[in-house]
Amino acid sequence: MAIYSQILANGLMLGALYACLAVGFSLVWGVLNVINMLHGSFIILGGYLTWFAWHGWGIHPIVMLPVVGALLFALGFALQKLVINRVVSAPVLTTLTLTFGLDMILYNVMTYWFTATPRRVQLDLGAVSLGPVTLPVDRLVGTALALVLTLALYAVMRGSNIGRAIVAVRMDRSAAELMGIRTERIYAITFGIGALMAGVAGVVFASVFPITTNVTGTYLGKAFVVCVVGGLGSVPGALVGGLVLGLVESLAGHWFGPQQAITAGFVLMLAILLTRPTGLVGVRGYE
């Protein structure tokens, strides 16, 4: 029984990280109807910036959270405003192809400048034991940060003028425009927030796992699964989807081996698509 307590704890911690990883992807997809293929590379870029700041200047990852968030927001805002906005009303395959091309450029630039060598911010915080469960402190801190960041986005979406404008555009673009909301500006802000959330997720992941450009596709795949499982268009959906995916992967890793954990996640995604296409929480306005 003790082993399952450990698996449950590992799954919940991993799930919180997945929720933070996917919530920005869900936001962009839900509001702009753009499948952002850049998302995985944004995560790794945030991780690389954190690692180089730590390794080169000794700047703590927590200090890098607002720095990376601001930089990735600016990058996402500019990309949407100058490039993606030109085709944002086109069929989804067009925007998917565009973001895929942009992702290939960013991926190759990062591989050229940073190389694909795995890197991790080694904080060496030790571990704590709660009965039969042992929890690495760095993962506990990462889990707490992931939850705080995810809930902070939830608060912004529900309690700020920008958040309410984003929800309005998500629900009915034409009605939002009639109310005086500048949808092009909201689209750029939304894409910037999606990039910001990816970047800060990269800060957290770099403190817990080794990062490399080779896992951009893996993280993008996790975001897809979380959105499908939880439901597109809500922070609770991303949180539920992340926690469920984390638990499924932890159990599958124990029963079938670590190599099959990713397979189990995609099996879960297919099962949800076939039985509940709107996800466990459902597709709704981003709230």
Side-chain angles (χ1 to χ4, degrees):
M1 196 64 184
I3 186 65
Y4 284 100
S5 298
Q6 184 69 58
I7 291 170
L8 177 64
N10 291 341
L12 291 174
M13 289 191 294
L14 186 61
L17 296 174
Y18 284 164
C20 183
L21 173 152
V23 70
F25 182 79
S26 178
L27 173 63
V28 171
W29 193 355
V31 176
L32 278 71
N33 195 31
V34 170
I35 300 174
N36 181 20
M37 303 298 287
L38 279 158
H39 192 76
S41 292
F42 281 159
I43 294 170
I44 297 303
L45 179 58
Y48 275 145
L49 293 174
T50 303
W51 186 87
F52 279 101
W54 168 262
H55 186 264
W57 300 292
I59 301 176
H60 197 278
I62 291 179
V63 177
M64 286 300 295
L65 276 172
V67 177
V68 170
L71 290 173
L72 267 293
F73 176 86
L75 176 60
F77 186 96
L79 281 175
Q80 202 288 328
K81 190 77 171 176
L82 301 176
V83 182
I84 299 172
N85 193 58
R86 297 176 181 272
V87 296
V88 73
S89 298
V92 68
L93 183 60
T94 301
T95 53
L96 185 149
T97 304
L98 176 61
T99 58
F100 176 77
L102 292 171
D103 177 59
M104 289 295 97
I105 294 171
L106 180 57
Y107 171 87
N108 283 291
V109 168
M110 289 194 299
T111 302
Y112 176 79
W113 283 107
F114 305 139
T115 76
T117 303
R119 297 180 172 91
R120 179 188 171 190
V121 177
Q122 297 282 357
L123 296 177
D124 297 323
L125 300 177
V128 295
S129 296
L130 301 174
V133 178
T134 300
L135 305 173
V137 176
D138 58 353
R139 188 169 292 195
L140 273 176
V141 173
T143 299
L145 285 174
L147 289 173
V148 168
L149 292 166
T150 303
L151 294 176
L153 178 61
Y154 182 70
V156 168
M157 298 305 296
R158 289 185 64 87
S160 69
N161 290 334
I162 286 293
R164 286 189 287 269
I166 291 172
V167 172
V169 172
R170 165 74 171 96
M171 298 297 292
D172 191 326
R173 173 179 174 174
S174 298
E177 289 177 340
L178 289 174
M179 296 298 293
I181 296 175
R182 297 165 54 192
T183 54
E184 289 189 4
R185 178 171 175 267
I186 293 300
Y187 280 169
I189 291 172
T190 301
F191 200 89
I193 293 174
L196 180 157
M197 292 303 297
V200 296
V203 175
V204 175
F205 270 77
S207 305
V208 178
F209 303 111
I211 57 162
T212 168
T213 52
N214 291 335
V215 298
T216 57
T218 300
Y219 287 160
L220 179 63
K222 303 289 187 192
F224 264 108
V225 174
V226 170
C227 287
V228 171
V229 172
L232 184 65
S234 73
V235 176
L239 187 57
V240 169
L243 293 174
V244 170
L245 178 60
L247 288 170
V248 167
E249 286 194 353
S250 293
L251 287 168
H254 173 68
W255 290 334
F256 309 114
Q259 298 299 323
Q260 300 306 317
I262 295 177
T263 303
F266 284 104
V267 170
L268 170 68
M269 182 184 76
L270 292 176
I272 294 294
L273 277 175
L274 292 173
T275 60
R276 191 178 174 87
T278 58
L280 297 176
V281 174
V283 179
R284 63 173 84 175
Y286 208 88
E287 55 189 31

